[in-house]
Amino acid sequence: MKHIYMWHDGDVKRHYFSSKLTYNKWLREFVSELMSDPTFPSFYGNLKNKSKKDVMNYFSSNLYLEKIKLDEA
């Protein structure tokens, strides 16, 4: 059974990944950039003073990440 992963930020913006590995690579870059932004705590106050791992876990939750099963032909 094949799957893809879809990540969305709650708005219309979506990212699609062919594997969990490619998703995790993207997520590490995304979280690093996000945490280096000085305005980060104002948008995600619940993540203030959290570790990078905690932030990555938050963005990997069902709120943001969906595993989609593909039909097999």
Side-chain angles (χ1 to χ4, degrees):
M1 184 71 47
K2 292 194 176 198
H3 296 87
I4 62 170
Y5 295 86
M6 180 186 73
W7 186 88
H8 55 91
D9 65 359
D11 292 331
V12 178
K13 186 177 177 185
R14 295 188 172 121
H15 299 277
Y16 296 90
F17 303 93
S18 60
S19 71
K20 190 76 171 198
L21 180 66
T22 56
Y23 168 72
N24 286 330
K25 285 176 70 175
W26 174 84
L27 182 63
R28 279 190 295 278
E29 292 175 21
F30 171 76
V31 169
S32 292
E33 289 178 24
L34 186 66
M35 292 181 81
S36 68
D37 184 345
T39 62
F40 166 66
S42 63
F43 291 113
Y44 300 100
N46 57 329
L47 298 177
K48 187 176 182 178
N49 300 326
K50 298 286 184 180
S51 69
K52 184 175 181 178
K53 183 178 178 182
D54 290 338
V55 174
M56 288 179 67
N57 287 337
Y58 176 77
F59 285 117
S60 292
S61 71
N62 291 341
L63 293 172
Y64 294 95
L65 185 64
E66 181 179 351
K67 184 177 182 178
I68 300 170
K69 185 177 5 174
L70 298 176
D71 293 335
E72 291 192 35

